[in-house]
Amino acid sequence: MPKTILVTGAGRGLGRTLAERCSARGDAVIAHARSESALEGVPCERRLIADLAQPETIEDAVSELGLEHLDALVHNAGVAHIGPVAEQRLEWWRESMAVNVVAVAELTRVLLPALRASGGHVVFVNSGAGLSAGPGWSSYAAGKHALKALADALRGEERGAGVRVTSLYPSHFTTDMQRSVREAFDSEYDLDRATSVESIAQTVVETLNTPSDMVVNEMRIEPPNPLPIRPRP
Ligand SMILES: NC(=O)c1ccc[n+]([C@@H]2O[C@H](COP(=O)([O-])OP(=O)(O)OC[C@H]3O[C@@H](n4cnc5c(N)ncnc54)[C@H](OP(=O)(O)O)[C@@H]3O)[C@@H](O)[C@H]2O)c1
């Protein structure tokens, strides 16, 4: 059955692929990006423009949509600043926490009435870095660990209201983010050993398709034969 689905970070990467897939199957997609131009060519019914690095702007932007019902909210947008703690700049920490955590909490808060009204589903695109942190990952992993906490608390709070919450923990898949992470680590990258962005988008769609009498709370995803991220010898 067609759903109304809000996808954050829909201008490129996983968010764009997901918006395309959902629109193709007849869903009413509300595509989010920080600029109108980022959404050029993205199939959608409506747009939400907000810079997630400024979470205080979200409530006004969302209220302009006048949404009373929302079937699914996919928190996909994210940023990653890779480097040792000794080199992590203050603005990287601020941006990582704002985009990957605070904006996600704020967007969830303002959309909860519409989600409750539909018995909606909130999907958090987390990361393997949300479960363990290695060298170089501090600001990204800290944000994703906090995102796990946000999702786990929300799941317990909203189950009585019929809102389902899923956290996905992918290892790595083929987008700009993975390319730039590999560059930052000076690591080899083999597309054939990464999960495709299409496969991750399909998994999100299938998660949204699960029968309403069950919920996938968490899913860990990795390629069958992953190429570890580590500096070239
Ligand atoms: N790719 C991987 O290997 C991998 C692995 C595990 C988890 N993930 C997670 O998967 C999700 C999608 O990542 P991706 O690989 O598709 O990354 P991507 O290609 O780098 O895309 C990131 C998206 O987030 C948006 N975004 C970043 N900062 C924003 C801001 N301040 N305001 C609004 N939007 C903003 C970007 O918009 P702009 O175009 O405006 O920058 C873009 O649409 C992220 O949460 C990421 O952490 C990715």
Side-chain angles (χ1 to χ4, degrees):
M1 207 166 91
K3 298 173 190 287
T4 301
I5 302 177
L6 197 159
V7 180
T8 67
R12 62 191 170 95
L14 175 59
R16 188 179 188 108
T17 306
L18 189 56
E20 289 168 353
R21 278 196 173 237
C22 292
S23 293
R25 70 171 199 166
D27 292 325
V29 170
I30 304 170
H32 158 268
R34 58 180 136 181
S35 68
E36 289 277 356
S37 61
L39 293 174
E40 209 169 298
V42 176
C44 61
E45 191 158 281
R46 306 175 73 180
R47 294 172 169 192
L48 170 66
I49 305 301
D51 183 352
L52 302 183
Q54 296 179 44
E56 63 280 4
T57 65
I58 288 173
E59 186 161 20
D60 285 350
V62 169
S63 71
E64 280 175 29
L65 293 174
L67 272 183
E68 289 182 2
H69 292 87
L70 183 63
D71 296 305
L73 168 59
V74 182
H75 289 297
N76 162 77
V79 285
H81 292 295
I82 302 300
V85 174
E87 293 168 17
Q88 285 277 333
R89 304 194 324 237
L90 183 56
E91 62 264 33
W92 290 359
W93 275 101
R94 286 208 172 109
E95 185 189 4
S96 299
M97 298 311 280
V99 174
N100 296 345
V101 188
V102 180
V104 179
E106 176 65 354
L107 190 56
T108 305
R109 182 186 73 79
V110 300
L111 287 170
L112 264 177
L115 286 160
R116 288 176 183 146
S118 299
H121 196 158
V122 186
V123 176
F124 292 81
V125 182
N126 202 305
S127 163
L131 300 170
S132 66
W137 290 98
S138 60
S139 62
Y140 181 71
K144 292 296 194 182
H145 274 67
L147 191 65
K148 178 186 189 302
L150 168 61
D152 290 348
L154 184 72
R155 183 179 300 113
E157 290 165 7
E158 294 299 324
R159 54 172 48 118
V163 174
R164 297 183 293 163
V165 174
T166 300
S167 284
L168 302 178
Y169 298 95
S171 161
H172 60 272
F173 53 90
T174 55
T175 61
D176 296 345
M177 180 181 284
Q178 184 58 216
R179 201 169 305 112
S180 61
V181 164
R182 296 272 170 173
E183 280 169 16
F185 278 103
D186 190 26
S187 171
E188 282 184 73
Y189 186 25
D190 181 350
L191 287 176
D192 291 337
R193 290 178 65 183
T195 305
S196 72
V197 67
E198 290 80 12
S199 294
I200 300 290
Q202 179 185 332
T203 302
V204 176
V205 169
E206 283 168 8
T207 301
L208 294 174
N209 274 347
T210 48
S212 59
D213 61 351
M214 61 169 275
V215 56
V216 176
N217 289 338
E218 298 186 333
M219 194 186 295
R220 292 188 73 162
I221 303 163
E222 61 178 11
N225 181 25
L227 182 64
I229 300 177
R230 59 174 169 238
R232 289 169 223 270

